[in-house]
Amino acid sequence: MPRPTEKTITFTIDGREVEAIEGAMLVDAARGGDIEIPVFCYEPKLGAPVGACRMCLVEIEGIPKLQTACSTPVRDGMVVNTGTERVKGAQQSVVEFLLVNHPLDCPVCDKGGECPLQDISFGWGRGNSRFIEPKRHFVKPLALSPLIAIDRERCILCYRGVRFSQEIAEDHQLVLLERGASTFVATFDGHPYVAPFSGNIVELCPVGALTSRAYRFRARPWDIEGSGSICSLCPAQCNVTFTVRDERVLRVLSRDHDGVDDGWLCDKGRFAYQATHSDERLTTPLVRDGEQLRPATWERALAVAAGISRHAGSAAALIGGETSNEEALLLSRLMRDGLDSYDIDSRSGGVLPLELLRSLANPALQATVPDLEFANTVLLLDADPVDDAPILDLRIRKGARRREMQVLVASGRPTALDARAAEAVRHAPGSGANIACALDAALSGDTQRSATLARDGGADPEAVVRLANLLREAGEDIVIVWGERLTDGPSGAAAAQALLRIADQLGLASRDGAGLLELSRGTNGRGLREVGALPNSAPGFGEPQREGRGWNEIATAAAAGQVTALWLLGSDPARDASNGEPWAKALASAGLVIAHASTLSPELGAHANVVFPAEAGAEREGTVTSPDGRIQRLRPAIGHGGQVMPTAAVIAAIADAVGFEPGFSTGSKATEAVAEAVGFYAGLTSDEIGGRGIRWQERDAASALPAGTAGETAAPPAAAASPNGSLRLGTYRSIWASPEVEISPALKFLSRSATVEISPEDAERIGIGNGQRVELGSNGSQLEAVAQLRSDVPEGSIFIESGLTSVGLSATEGELVEVTAK
Amino acid sequence: MSAILFDRIDEPGLATIDVYTRRGGYSALKKALAMPREAIIEELKVSGLRGRGGAGFSMGTKASFIPGAEIDKYLVCNADESEPGTFKDRELMQKKPHQLIEGMIISAYAVGANRSFIYIRGEYVLQAEMLERAIAEAKQAGHLGENIHGSGFSLDLVLQRGAGAYICGEETGLLDSLEGKRGNPRLKPPFPANEGLYKGPTLINNVETLATVPPIIEMGGAEYAKLGVENSAGTKLVSVSGNVQRPGNYEIELGISSREIIFGLAGGPEAGRSVKLWFPGGSSSPVLTADDLDLPYDFDSLAKAGSMLGSGAIIVVDDSVRVVDVALKLASFYRHESCGKCTPCREGTNWTVNMLERVQSGEATPMDLDIIASVQEQIIGNCLCVLGDAMAMPVGSLVAKFRPEFEAHIEAARERNGLGASQPAVEQPVLTI
Amino acid sequence: MSEVTRFTHGSRIPGWDQSTDPSKPAAAIPDPATTTVPEELRAAIEAEIAKYPERRSALIPALHHAQEHHGWCSPEAIEQVACVMRLTPGEVAAVVTFYDMFESKPVGKNTIYVCTNISCSLNGGDRILAAMRDAAGDDPDFNIRGFECLGACDMAPMASINGEYVGPLTDEDCNQVIAQLTAGETPLPAKQLSLRPCADAAGRTGGDGQ
Ligand SMILES: Cc1cc2nc3c(=O)[nH]c(=O)nc-3n(C[C@H](O)[C@H](O)[C@H](O)COP(=O)(O)O)c2cc1C
Ligand code: SF4
Ligand code: FES
């Protein structure tokens, strides 16, 4: 959909002629004339203005009544007055009315000093008070949720928080009850407001009514400093400001970036900073001492790690998703050039041919994050943004709500966007490749092949045809958001080829607002591939010196003694993989296991020889690359806690100990090294990246990306297992499945126990009820879980959450599992 | 007196389609369906019919604002009738439901709306039942549904009961309520004629307005315009209540003297009592006094006297009643009914009630009367909808017109409470820097 | 200034003065797999939904049905409506508490709204409310509320008794209303708008007697 065009007009405000964009609201246009019109309820991020608070009344010549500047679009020649007696009178009245029921507890209010109500009362109020009646009193503060406190006395009913819940997050949990002067903000029947994005209401509240329980009474505005960086907890890479006091992060706020987060944060990004200062975080190196890992000096830990030189030729490295471009490049250099080891991987799903990686990275095929809002249609292919990259869920909702963008879904597990979807196709868990191939066939008119593929994938063939038709008629700008899991396993190449053909058939490469957007598993999944943290690619998708083993082969090789040392850079495979069992074996067999971690899983505890304490988000430095290719800077907001050292410095120290000179370690030098290694990042510097990041596709160097081909046609994906009484296992990694959530005091309540989502039909057949304990069994392994009946789960499939330390079922996506009542 | 709306109003069985049709009902519909749409709107404009719900906007002009495009358009009948003192729509719906339905079909046809709704206040249980029955009869007779009488025009009519909220009489609050939400008024513009129900163009009219449409089509707009006076054409239902001997609905020709209505028709206050004040157009209208009884009852004359015709509900208050009690009653009503969306109304009605309570109990001084008056001024014109004004105008007028009585009341109450005489009102000290 | 009482504001919504309960789950749209809705209530709501171009429009009619079924808009009733309407219970509760006719606490089965607005109170409406309350005493079967103008000032002072408009009322009538309702009889048939000539001195009839 074409972005709206902007026309400049001239209007007069307080006697001055000012230029503005036609249709801009007067409050915004007035700023062009350096005039501030006070507002409370107006917040353009929340959608259409509601005109509720009446703070922004102004006089417009030719209109008898005062008008709300927040909702009046400027027109050419308009004459506006904001300083007349009448306007001043109205402003003073509104301030006076707002203070009628607002307690004067500013001295003990968290908002004090950064409070719009204080500022506006000071700037536009009457300066005296005529109100002598008792104010309305509420018991306060009350917990709105474990994260948010509500002080109803302070609420000025500006509607912002409630509008956020209704119109942005669309969780519809925060509402207004009662009416008139009795109105108050609440949830249903004492249920807490718990939702992926609830914390945004704290930042939206213009008074101290909604406050963060984690931040309450921790600081006054003059004690703190803000420090801009990037949230490194998921691929969305939202821009944040860390609020810092005495080298501690006390709060995380959004640093509004239209190209990334649109000004919102998820609750993980907002509250997981607490993991930084949690007692449960590792802050000293650990070295194995018999059965036990014990705290050790850096010398000792580095010496143990330097023992990797004895494993030259048979070491392997798994690079975790949060790793920065610089760290990944450094470690892969050391592995390849210093240790003659080529088994390096950052993708847990299997190896994709280099040709396909290059083709998928084609700049013409890349959709941007804002495209999710302006497209005619967004198709989710085996992806659920709310778990994979939460903030993008809001972006898609925005497009759907404000521009009637069409949403289409094809996934194994029901997604959060299903309710918005014109068509939601369900397939068997792990069979996304079949659906991509079926869709490709349907688009090319081969309905028969499409039907076979769809059926093999456990999907309704007609639904796939409908999906294809909707796509064909979708208008020109189509964005396909696909989850990394789509290209997992043996059918990964077939899925990638299908994606490329679908893109070709829909002409996505020829449209600016159309394209593909991959949601990778890790924060920096895209950057890690681009810097060559892959077994079959050099940095910049160049030909590798030598191909190494991929993720799954490394496990097998380690169990077989062919790989003797494992370097786990921010990766905990036994925990992260949907099937952790082979990894438990691999870890047990390896002679040396080096890990970087902030918490210890049981497997690491049992098998690591040395553990380096990982850096927390606010301590990190380096660059990461977002799903749409935006290279962004992580900038340290605080010094390192405990004895933590920069990860890059640790790798460099080990390199030094084994006698390898990588040529760089940390700082802007490291970023330059990345730019030098990756052809299409050429010339990039920290300065150019700056505070807003830059998409590499938009720079001249982008042409250095080696052209890809579709490669040899891969074999079609295999058919999904037929349930036959058992059920197909699906897994998903929820937004809350992360070590940071588990150790942040505020977020702990969200860390989950094992549940299994099951359709009511299957539950009835097996004879289990909602909330009942069940046992899942596969290949002799067992898992106990609580059944959760969901009517939108397709019959024949069940879903469990991966990434939980407690999950240890030995079965992969799509395999059959026996479910029995306990 | 010409009876147009109340013609044969008490004839038994008039609420049924048989009797209504026998008395000439639905013939206007047949006539209208044979007319071009623009011609109907033209007749309505010529008739001079002004909205009977409160604002008094020309019905024909409003209908002409509905865009001609072939999109989903809606007609909504406002049967919320919650303005204190108003009960005319109730009697119309109860006794002549078919006249309303016929008026709705003609109006919907005129603006090209294919879906129509009656939003009736939830308390009107009987009237809702009678309307449901009438709608079913009209469907049965082919006046509603697909391809009405072969005209190619189709119309669906749904009755929705509200659930007790005055603000749902405000047209945009009504629309939100009809969409299943809290009845908060919407920001205007956009006006409902452009963006109303389900964001489609929507014509909203009061029951009485719509029920007047069939007679206008029947007699012709020009003929109707001959009734009444300039700028106030036609007849009007007036609900008279309060301290009068014959409360009830009366159909009058606009422009007759108010005294004729209050005394001639409604019998005036009981013997020995006199009119102290009266609301000419529902409780939202600024009050008038005995001096104003000879005003002609029409839109312009009442406006010129500083009040308004509003919904046509005359509430008479006699000299036995304390004006403080009237003011507090009013303010309490509007506080209860404020939707709470905008600041001046939500806080202003609440503050006014608090102050009037102190005035009533004697814990006030004349300075409070100044603050009350100033708060009313701060409300008027600054709210999102006019509910705030609907309290501020009458309360402001009471304080302005009966200030001595308020003051005397305060002094007497202070005395009773042993608080002593009040301090004289003092100017706020002003600090000059 | 007399004594200032704290928390007099209160609310008719239970729980307004308590923190949320962290052991409860977030109140999302109830899943039909885990929410049981009485069959006749579901059918009634679905019939309402079918009347409108957008399903949400059926919410207020749906709540009337639910209130009739459950006696009040209990959390359970709200969840059931939310389940059929595909809304969150929060959205439904927001609507319930906006409207005067929806009860957010359990109430007696006989609902009497006594008009205490201006025209009725000029004719003794406030006194009638007190008399009605006196007559009912603490009988839990009665839900007696002072109400805003009911649109029947021609029969002032009046009340709506289980939906029937009755008036003009005297103090003595109040005792009779309570007695008749307790005995399961029709209250004051002679004064019902739908059954008899109303207060109009001109002697016009109210309903048409059908
Ligand atoms: C607070 C408020 C309450 C209103 N209540 C009613 C009402 O109960 N019935 C009604 O017909 N109009 C009511 N109105 C007027 C409507 O907003 C609208 O002007 C009217 O329905 C238009 O119909 P008409 O042009 O036929 O009068 C009210 C307006 C306000 C501001
Ligand atoms: S004036 Fe009152 S009723 Fe109207 S929008 Fe404002 S608060 Fe609501
Ligand atoms: S900012 Fe304009 S009304 Fe609130």
Side-chain angles (χ1 to χ4, degrees):
Chain A
M1 229 178 282
R3 311 283 204 273
T5 48
E6 294 176 345
K7 193 179 141 203
T8 309
I9 52 99
T10 312
F11 77 112
T12 308
I13 183 158
D14 293 347
R16 216 172 331 157
E17 288 219 337
V18 175
E19 288 205 335
I21 294 163
E22 186 178 45
M25 293 306 165
L26 268 180
V27 240
D28 297 323
R31 270 186 224 118
D34 251 349
I35 289 179
E36 191 185 349
I37 300 173
V39 298
F40 285 113
C41 67
Y42 181 60
E43 170 49 74
K45 287 195 293 186
L46 292 173
V50 288
C53 75
R54 319 302 291 175
M55 192 61 235
C56 63
L57 290 169
V58 295
E59 212 171 272
I60 300 174
E61 280 182 17
I63 307 181
K65 273 189 159 192
L66 297 182
Q67 298 292 307
T68 44
C70 70
S71 66
T72 310
V74 269
R75 268 186 298 274
D76 198 40
M78 207 176 228
V79 180
V80 183
N81 289 312
T82 73
T84 61
E85 282 309 308
R86 213 169 134 219
V87 173
K88 276 191 195 150
Q91 288 168 337
Q92 290 180 347
S93 305
V94 173
V95 171
E96 181 172 39
F97 284 137
L98 285 171
L99 294 177
V100 157
N101 271 318
H102 190 84
L104 297 180
D105 61 352
C106 305
V108 291
C109 178
D110 253 330
K111 199 78 177 182
E114 48 182 25
C115 172
L117 183 60
Q118 280 183 337
D119 297 344
I120 289 175
S121 301
F122 182 76
W124 288 270
R126 198 190 294 282
N128 63 10
S129 153
R130 302 185 292 174
F131 187 78
I132 58 165
E133 349 286 320
K135 293 182 190 251
R136 91 179 172 152
H137 284 293
F138 278 107
V139 182
K140 67 184 219 171
L142 297 169
L144 185 65
S145 77
L147 298 172
I148 302 167
I150 184 166
D151 184 322
R152 294 201 171 100
E153 288 182 359
R154 295 184 190 147
C155 175
I156 59 165
L157 294 169
C158 70
Y159 279 55
R160 284 180 174 218
V162 170
R163 276 164 75 207
F164 175 81
S165 170
Q166 315 295 309
E167 311 224 339
I168 304 299
E170 298 183 339
D171 56 52
H172 301 281
Q173 290 185 42
L174 194 69
V175 295
L176 294 161
L177 297 184
E178 292 242 50
R179 69 172 189 227
S182 308
T183 311
F184 63 96
V185 173
T187 54
F188 170 66
D189 194 34
H191 290 252
Y193 181 31
V194 175
F197 306 101
S198 71
N200 290 294
I201 64 172
V202 171
E203 215 171 312
L204 283 168
C205 180
V207 295
L210 296 166
T211 48
S212 153
R213 293 177 69 187
Y215 182 64
R216 276 176 78 85
F217 305 125
R218 298 296 195 287
R220 312 249 50 189
W222 43 90
D223 298 331
I224 55 179
E225 271 174 61
S227 180
S229 189
I230 303 295
C231 171
S232 59
L233 295 173
C234 91
Q237 299 176 8
C238 295
N239 289 200
V240 297
T241 302
F242 291 109
T243 294
V244 177
R245 178 184 182 184
D246 299 340
E247 291 294 309
R248 284 174 78 90
V249 178
L250 293 187
R251 176 171 76 169
V252 177
L253 298 175
S254 163
R255 188 164 54 87
D256 201 341
H257 191 324
D258 174 56
V260 179
D261 47 48
D262 211 18
W264 309 120
L265 291 179
C266 77
D267 285 3
K268 180 165 68 171
R270 187 179 296 277
F271 294 102
Y273 69 86
Q274 290 194 321
T276 313
H277 309 295
S278 159
D279 291 345
E280 291 166 67
R281 174 184 169 201
L282 288 181
T283 51
T284 53
L286 304 177
V287 168
R288 178 155 305 282
D289 183 359
E291 290 291 288
Q292 290 282 315
L293 279 169
R294 292 193 203 283
T297 61
W298 274 100
E299 287 77 19
R300 171 119 198 279
L302 288 169
V304 174
I308 196 162
S309 60
R310 288 191 295 277
H311 299 269
S314 65
L318 298 185
I319 299 188
E322 284 190 42
T323 310
S324 70
N325 294 331
E326 290 75 7
E327 293 155 356
L329 183 68
L330 186 60
L331 179 59
S332 33
R333 281 253 169 100
L334 168 59
M335 293 296 289
R336 290 184 178 127
D337 301 343
L339 294 165
D340 193 29
S341 297
Y342 302 88
D343 297 345
I344 299 168
D345 208 350
S346 58
R347 287 178 86 253
S348 60
V351 184
L352 268 193
L354 181 56
E355 283 301 331
L356 291 178
L357 290 170
R358 288 172 177 168
S359 302
L360 286 169
N362 174 8
L365 267 184
Q366 305 306 301
T368 66
V369 168
D371 290 342
L372 292 176
E373 175 185 341
F374 292 96
N376 299 98
T377 289
V378 167
L379 165 66
L380 302 181
L381 256 187
D382 220 355
D384 189 355
V386 80
D387 287 332
D388 301 338
I391 233 60
L392 302 187
D393 172 88
L394 298 185
R395 206 52 175 263
I396 297 170
R397 287 176 192 279
K398 183 179 180 191
R401 190 180 48 255
R402 295 205 201 161
R403 298 175 193 281
E404 290 175 18
M405 182 179 84
Q406 174 176 253
V407 178
L408 302 172
V409 178
S411 68
R413 181 170 177 258
T415 73
L417 284 160
D418 279 7
R420 279 260 172 219
E423 181 78 49
V425 183
R426 279 294 94 80
H427 55 72
S431 294
N434 296 65
I435 300 326
C437 294
L439 189 57
D440 166 41
L443 282 170
S444 61
D446 191 347
T447 11
Q448 200 150 20
R449 206 168 74 85
S450 168
T452 313
L453 283 159
R455 235 175 269 120
D456 280 356
D460 171 7
E462 280 170 30
V464 175
V465 171
R466 279 200 300 275
L467 201 62
N469 290 339
L470 287 168
L471 276 175
R472 252 194 235 108
E473 296 151 14
E476 289 160 315
D477 286 342
I478 300 173
V479 176
I480 300 179
V481 177
W482 58 285
E484 180 176 336
R485 68 179 76 84
L486 181 68
T487 51
D488 275 0
S491 42
Q497 285 172 343
L499 262 177
L500 291 166
R501 276 193 309 266
I502 293 170
D504 192 41
Q505 297 199 55
L506 296 172
L508 302 190
S510 60
R511 302 272 320 166
D512 264 359
L516 303 177
L517 192 69
E518 180 193 354
L519 302 185
S520 51
R521 282 206 171 85
T523 304
N524 190 28
R526 179 170 192 135
L528 296 178
R529 278 171 238 164
E530 294 180 346
V531 301
L534 291 173
N536 59 340
S537 169
F541 295 128
E543 291 298 330
Q545 303 150 264
R546 211 173 110 183
E547 281 203 25
R549 295 184 181 90
W551 192 280
N552 297 318
E553 294 74 43
I554 294 174
T556 331
Q562 289 151 335
V563 163
T564 55
L566 285 170
W567 194 326
L568 309 176
L569 180 56
S571 171
D572 191 347
R575 171 186 159 128
D576 295 349
S578 73
N579 179 3
E581 208 188 48
W583 279 106
K585 278 202 198 106
L587 292 174
S589 319
L592 174 65
V593 176
I594 304 171
H596 300 251
S598 54
T599 60
L600 275 189
S601 67
E603 288 75 17
L604 285 188
H607 303 299
N609 298 83
V610 51
V611 179
F612 296 111
E615 295 174 89
E619 296 164 355
R620 300 181 64 194
E621 182 181 23
T623 62
V624 286
T625 309
S626 76
D628 66 351
R630 181 178 299 276
I631 300 162
Q632 309 204 81
R633 280 175 70 189
L634 293 159
R635 287 194 284 194
I638 53 173
H640 289 84
Q643 302 181 31
V644 180
M645 283 199 354
T647 302
V650 176
I651 302 169
I654 299 169
D656 193 44
V658 303
F660 175 74
E661 174 45 64
F664 67 94
S665 64
T666 54
S668 55
K669 265 285 231 351
T671 304
E672 278 160 30
V674 168
E676 207 174 295
V678 180
F680 46 90
Y681 288 4
L684 199 66
T685 60
S686 302
D687 281 350
E688 189 185 346
I689 299 170
R692 315 291 287 167
I694 184 157
R695 290 187 65 233
W696 65 259
Q697 294 92 339
E698 287 162 12
R699 302 173 70 249
D700 291 341
S703 58
L705 174 78
T709 65
E712 230 171 274
T713 308
S722 151
N724 253 340
S726 352
L727 295 167
R728 295 176 182 129
L729 176 72
T731 61
Y732 65 99
R733 178 143 191 167
S734 108
I735 158 177
W736 308 122
S738 96
E740 287 82 6
V741 170
E742 280 167 23
I743 66 171
S744 293
L747 289 178
K748 252 185 189 159
F749 78 102
L750 287 165
S751 53
R752 324 253 224 133
S753 56
T755 55
V756 52
E757 298 174 343
I758 185 167
S759 70
E761 296 81 11
D762 287 325
E764 193 182 328
R765 187 174 46 76
I766 303 167
I768 49 183
N770 191 47
Q772 197 177 332
R773 294 203 74 81
V774 295
E775 192 169 81
L776 314 185
S778 162
N779 304 329
S781 66
Q782 255 91 38
L783 170 73
E784 237 188 79
V786 173
Q788 188 190 343
L789 269 58
R790 269 186 79 168
S791 47
D792 52 359
V793 164
E795 213 177 324
S797 299
I798 53 164
F799 294 92
I800 61 169
E801 199 170 330
S802 65
L804 295 175
T805 30
S806 52
V807 175
L809 194 63
S810 155
T812 51
E813 191 87 6
E815 285 185 3
L816 294 182
V817 173
E818 298 293 334
V819 180
T820 45
K822 272 289 273 186
Chain B
M1 185 141 319
S2 29
I4 287 186
L5 289 163
F6 270 7
D7 183 32
R8 301 171 192 274
I9 189 76
D10 289 316
E11 177 169 342
L14 191 60
T16 64
I17 197 164
D18 290 349
V19 179
Y20 180 70
T21 311
R22 233 180 292 136
R23 299 288 171 244
Y26 287 109
S27 56
L29 172 62
K30 302 241 163 75
K31 184 172 171 189
L33 288 176
M35 290 165 72
R37 298 182 160 174
E38 305 72 39
I40 301 176
I41 296 183
E42 194 49 37
E43 286 299 325
L44 291 172
K45 278 191 187 164
V46 169
S47 76
L49 175 64
R50 293 174 64 171
R52 304 303 197 217
F57 195 81
S58 157
M59 155 103 190
T61 309
K62 189 149 75 174
S64 70
F65 290 158
I66 305 287
E70 288 290 318
I71 43 173
D72 286 337
K73 290 181 261 184
Y74 306 93
L75 171 77
V76 176
C77 168
N78 187 343
D80 193 61
E81 188 158 78
S82 304
E83 173 81 2
T86 317
F87 44 91
K88 63 194 176 70
D89 297 343
R90 188 202 80 213
E91 193 163 351
L92 265 180
M93 290 188 284
Q94 184 178 328
K95 297 180 178 174
K96 272 191 163 181
H98 283 287
Q99 187 159 334
L100 169 61
I101 293 169
E102 185 179 8
M104 287 184 70
I105 305 169
I106 297 171
S107 308
Y109 170 70
V111 298
N114 295 115
R115 280 184 177 270
S116 61
F117 300 87
I118 301 175
Y119 184 92
I120 186 170
R121 62 180 299 183
E123 297 86 343
Y124 281 175
V125 180
L126 169 69
Q127 293 72 18
E129 280 168 10
M130 310 223 25
L131 275 170
E132 285 285 17
R133 205 184 316 156
I135 292 169
E137 286 176 337
K139 273 190 189 146
Q140 181 80 36
H143 301 317
L144 282 170
E146 295 293 317
N147 190 12
I148 297 168
H149 302 308
S151 63
F153 170 66
S154 305
L155 181 66
D156 180 47
L157 173 55
V158 172
L159 176 88
Q160 170 153 170
R161 288 180 57 209
Y166 168 67
I167 194 59
C168 295
E170 197 282 335
E171 54 189 13
T172 57
L174 185 155
L175 293 178
D176 263 31
S177 184
L178 196 48
E179 289 179 6
K181 304 175 187 152
R182 293 160 66 83
N184 290 325
R186 304 175 183 172
L187 205 55
K188 289 189 265 192
F191 289 92
N194 294 315
E195 215 182 296
L197 192 63
Y198 312 127
K199 290 200 167 10
T202 306
L203 178 67
I204 307 179
N205 278 113
N206 170 258
V207 171
E208 184 186 347
T209 317
L210 289 164
T212 309
V213 170
I216 289 176
I217 296 302
E218 198 80 68
M219 69 204 291
E223 198 59 30
Y224 183 84
K226 288 184 189 154
L227 297 166
V229 293
E230 194 178 356
N231 268 336
S232 297
T235 65
K236 172 88 188 80
L237 296 184
V238 185
S239 308
V240 192
S241 68
N243 298 132
V244 289
Q245 299 184 57
R246 290 192 297 276
N249 286 317
Y250 300 94
E251 182 168 15
I252 57 129
E253 202 174 324
L254 285 166
I256 70 165
S257 108
S258 306
R259 187 183 297 280
E260 169 59 20
I261 304 173
I262 295 173
F263 285 89
L265 296 171
E270 64 183 60
R273 291 280 168 209
S274 61
V275 174
K276 180 178 202 168
L277 57 97
W278 54 292
F279 296 81
S283 68
S284 308
S285 54
V287 298
L288 297 175
T289 64
D291 298 343
D292 305 307
L293 282 168
D294 289 315
L295 279 173
Y297 196 77
D298 63 61
F299 287 99
D300 289 0
S301 306
L302 292 170
K304 226 180 287 155
S307 188
M308 60 191 204
L309 187 131
S311 62
I314 296 181
I315 306 166
V316 178
V317 178
D318 72 20
D319 57 352
S320 69
V321 180
R322 298 192 308 188
V323 72
V324 186
D325 299 344
V326 174
L328 180 55
K329 203 52 140 182
L330 280 183
S332 307
F333 167 71
Y334 290 102
R335 171 174 72 173
H336 180 74
E337 299 294 351
S338 165
C339 82
K341 184 170 182 176
C342 74
T343 312
C345 170
R346 179 184 67 239
E347 303 298 342
T349 52
N350 186 33
W351 189 4
T352 302
V353 169
N354 287 337
M355 288 189 285
L356 284 169
E357 278 173 348
R358 281 194 293 109
V359 170
Q360 195 189 43
S361 67
E363 289 165 65
T365 67
M367 197 175 90
D368 288 298
L369 295 174
D370 294 336
I371 300 179
I372 293 174
S374 129
V375 165
Q376 307 318 304
E377 276 164 26
Q378 291 183 179
I379 295 172
I380 293 174
N382 289 342
C383 299
L384 178 66
C385 80
V386 292
L387 186 137
D389 299 31
M391 173 197 74
M393 293 188 303
V395 170
S397 72
L398 282 170
V399 174
K401 292 188 176 172
F402 295 91
R403 182 151 181 142
E405 185 180 328
F406 277 100
E407 286 178 357
H409 177 89
I410 291 174
E411 295 307 327
R414 291 184 69 90
E415 193 119 341
R416 263 202 316 281
N417 295 344
L419 290 168
S422 65
Q423 300 294 316
V426 278
E427 283 292 306
Q428 302 260 347
V430 178
L431 192 66
T432 33
I433 308 170
Chain C
M1 183 101 286
S2 56
E3 170 193 358
V4 178
T5 41
R6 286 188 77 81
F7 310 128
T8 47
H9 157 69
S11 171
R12 63 187 178 121
I13 315 306
W16 67 274
D17 54 350
Q18 282 160 21
S19 282
T20 55
D21 175 354
S23 71
K24 288 186 179 180
I29 300 175
D31 192 320
T34 53
T35 314
T36 23
V37 184
E39 212 27 66
E40 60 182 282
L41 180 58
R42 177 189 296 279
I45 296 174
E46 273 165 3
E48 296 290 351
I49 292 172
K51 292 184 188 169
Y52 296 93
E54 292 188 7
R55 55 186 296 131
R56 173 148 190 171
S57 275
L59 180 53
I60 291 173
L63 285 166
H64 280 300
H65 289 295
Q67 176 151 300
E68 198 162 304
H69 188 96
H70 290 271
W72 62 295
C73 291
S74 60
E76 190 193 6
I78 288 175
E79 271 170 353
Q80 292 172 354
V81 170
C83 179
V84 183
M85 295 292 303
R86 289 191 225 128
L87 298 170
T88 65
E91 283 176 288
V92 177
V95 169
V96 165
T97 59
F98 188 88
Y99 296 93
D100 284 342
M101 292 175 71
F102 294 135
E103 306 284 354
S104 0
K105 283 182 192 151
V107 291
K109 64 176 196 284
N110 288 307
T111 293
I112 302 178
Y113 302 150
V114 180
C115 175
T116 53
N117 207 297
I118 182 142
S119 293
C120 277
S121 71
L122 288 170
N123 289 285
D126 299 289
R127 208 187 57 236
I128 296 296
L129 174 61
M132 201 69 90
R133 290 209 165 117
D134 281 350
D138 48 14
D139 186 338
D141 274 354
F142 289 96
N143 170 28
I144 298 173
R145 296 170 58 181
F147 222 75
E148 299 303 355
C149 178
L150 287 157
C153 324
D154 47 348
M155 43 202 283
M158 59 78 65
S160 166
I161 302 175
N162 290 329
E164 281 283 355
Y165 278 21
V166 185
L169 296 173
T170 62
D171 291 6
E172 180 37 43
D173 285 344
C174 297
N175 293 324
Q176 203 174 334
V177 165
I178 301 297
Q180 282 169 324
L181 287 174
T182 309
E185 294 163 10
T186 308
L188 302 183
K191 291 193 175 185
Q192 288 204 1
L193 178 63
S194 61
L195 300 177
R196 282 251 352 213
C198 70
D200 185 344
R204 295 194 305 243
T205 52
D208 58 9
Q210 305 194 2

